Amino acid sequence: MKKILKVGALLVATTLMVALGGCGSKDKPAEAPKADKKIVVGFAQIGAESEWRTANTESIKSSMAAAGMDLKFSDAQQKQENQIKAIRSFIQQKVDVIAFSPVVETGWDAVLQEAKAAKIPVVLTDRAVKLSSGNPEDFYVTFMGSDFKEEGKRAAKWLVDFMKKGSEPVNVVELQGTTGSAPAIDRKTGWEEVMKDHPNYKIIKSQTGDFTRAKGKEVMESFLKSAKAEGQKIDVLYAHNDDMAIGAIQAIEEAGLKPGKDIIIVSIDGVKGAFEAMIAGKLNCSVECSPLLGPQLVEVVKDLVAGKQIPKRILTNEGVFPADVAAKELPNRKY
Ligand code: GZL
């Protein structure tokens, strides 16, 4: 019985503790919300593209409500321009704190400058940003979320250990997350970092499935069709999230193949749907990526109000769940 490769899901506040300079120590720090009034938080969510995102939204809404904070919530339907619009509206409304999960890494320079100029502290949840100039850390108080590169490495390490293929060729197809998003970029990088020591594992097809079940199924159908036409065998699917894997499972079955057996599948998130697919023998491993960031966000907002120090990076530690522990673990899953 494979032991659960769970490294614990404890929240670990890591890296440097920084003085609460809000946005950048050289400028006047962002206005800490006054402790005597209801705190107003503007949250610009990406959308509702996956089981993970739905659980993430639920965690944020329920935690904010339980903390008696006033949450202004927007759903951007996975469009960056809608997130930027929402952040600008939060600035107009003079909310106490702005939080968001950037749908893609770039294109945030202007709106982050505007939030800084308005002295409204910004919290990045789930995904990070890259600026065209300057240090992103001057524009946000903290970034809380997973280490996506580590998740990609864990997926690759698990597969090599599971397949025990030595130097035999292994054909892999990859369903990437949203193009330009931090998880898609980093999960690919982490995978490739491990696989450079295993050159027999070759990614023969790779395309974005935009983190959704529907697109994951559609792209997997095209992979299966083109592989058949080219006389290529697909041995493995690496999906950057469980939802795309679940969509691909449908495509694999409709092609008359057995997911989890004819094609080994490893994905990332650890949502309930993945555990159910593993118990059904259709998915082989899910690398955990916790969406339960609501409690951490509440703590950060409270610390902001209290003028406490906040680490620039709050990392969530997560595990790896192979199919043979899925049945035992499912009752413990919180999302
Ligand atoms: C990861 C998160 C990703 C999930 C997907 O933290 O940003 O976005 O892996 C979700 O399921 O759509």
Side-chain angles (χ1 to χ4, degrees):
M1 160 87 148
K2 235 183 219 347
K3 65 181 173 47
I4 299 178
L5 308 178
K6 193 164 168 52
V7 293
L10 296 177
L11 163 64
V12 178
T14 61
T15 70
L16 298 173
M17 295 290 284
V18 289
L20 179 65
C23 301
S25 47
K26 49 189 174 312
D27 305 86
K28 191 169 168 309
E31 301 279 311
K34 307 283 175 296
D36 56 355
K37 75 174 183 58
K38 199 170 171 86
I39 299 169
V40 183
V41 176
F43 191 90
Q45 180 60 294
I46 288 178
E49 73 280 3
S50 61
E51 229 181 296
W52 190 101
R53 189 64 55 198
T54 307
N56 179 244
T57 291
E58 168 48 36
S59 175
I60 285 155
K61 285 184 173 176
S62 57
S63 301
M64 286 278 148
M69 293 179 181
D70 178 1
L71 175 66
K72 296 185 180 307
F73 183 89
S74 90
D75 173 330
Q77 278 100 43
Q78 283 192 287
K79 290 185 174 60
Q80 181 174 31
E81 62 267 25
N82 290 347
Q83 280 194 297
I84 291 171
K85 256 191 228 130
I87 293 169
R88 286 192 166 125
S89 130
F90 297 147
I91 294 170
Q92 288 299 323
Q93 297 173 65
K94 297 187 173 31
V95 299
D96 295 309
V97 181
I98 291 171
F100 75 113
S101 171
V103 60
V104 292
E105 283 192 332
T106 56
W108 305 100
D109 301 57
V111 76
L112 287 176
Q113 289 279 4
E114 291 160 30
K116 182 174 176 173
K119 298 196 178 357
I120 299 176
V122 171
V123 175
L124 295 184
T125 71
D126 171 28
R127 298 184 185 178
V129 298
K130 279 198 166 66
L131 300 187
S132 46
S133 65
N135 178 356
E137 291 193 358
D138 290 341
F139 294 89
Y140 62 82
V141 171
T142 189
F143 161 41
M144 62 175 69
S146 308
D147 179 341
F148 303 131
K149 197 166 142 191
E150 180 56 31
E151 292 168 350
K153 290 168 76 172
R154 285 178 184 166
K157 284 174 187 164
W158 173 83
L159 182 74
V160 170
D161 178 51
F162 178 79
M163 298 288 281
K164 296 191 178 17
K165 283 282 182 187
S167 56
E168 273 178 65
V170 179
N171 287 340
V172 181
V173 294
E174 179 185 32
L175 286 170
Q176 295 186 40
T178 302
T179 304
S181 69
I185 293 166
D186 292 355
R187 285 171 182 169
K188 186 170 188 58
T189 305
W191 172 279
E192 288 169 348
E193 212 168 276
V194 169
M195 289 307 194
K196 70 177 181 315
D197 299 331
H198 304 278
N200 53 315
Y201 286 77
K202 272 195 182 14
I203 290 187
I204 58 170
K205 295 178 189 306
S206 180
Q207 195 179 324
T208 182
D210 212 12
F211 283 133
T212 69
R213 290 190 184 195
K215 198 90 175 94
K217 179 180 182 192
E218 185 191 312
V219 174
M220 190 67 204
E221 282 164 352
S222 71
F223 285 168
L224 288 159
K225 211 173 285 166
S226 59
K228 191 170 180 183
E230 293 147 14
Q232 282 185 310
K233 186 175 176 306
I234 297 174
D235 301 305
V236 171
L237 164 62
Y238 169 41
H240 288 187
N241 84 328
D242 294 334
D243 282 69
M244 294 189 291
I246 291 165
I249 283 168
Q250 289 167 15
I252 293 167
E253 289 180 315
E254 286 169 12
L257 295 170
K258 290 192 179 61
K261 294 172 185 59
D262 299 331
I263 296 179
I264 300 300
I265 306 176
V266 54
S267 64
I268 299 175
D269 277 350
V271 296
K272 277 209 180 84
F275 280 81
E276 287 152 2
M278 286 194 277
I279 290 165
K282 299 180 180 178
L283 175 68
N284 303 89
C285 179
S286 184
V287 173
E288 188 179 30
C289 173
S290 177
L292 305 180
L293 299 174
Q296 297 166 40
L297 180 56
V298 164
E299 285 316 301
V300 163
V301 172
K302 282 182 178 168
D303 287 350
L304 267 171
V305 171
K308 284 189 190 157
Q309 285 192 337
I310 298 173
K312 268 294 177 192
R313 181 73 172 94
I314 300 175
L315 191 62
T316 320
N317 278 340
E318 295 144 343
V320 177
F321 294 94
D324 59 6
V325 300
K328 181 168 175 295
E329 181 63 21
L330 180 58
N332 308 327
R333 301 306 296 165
K334 298 189 177 71
Y335 64 90

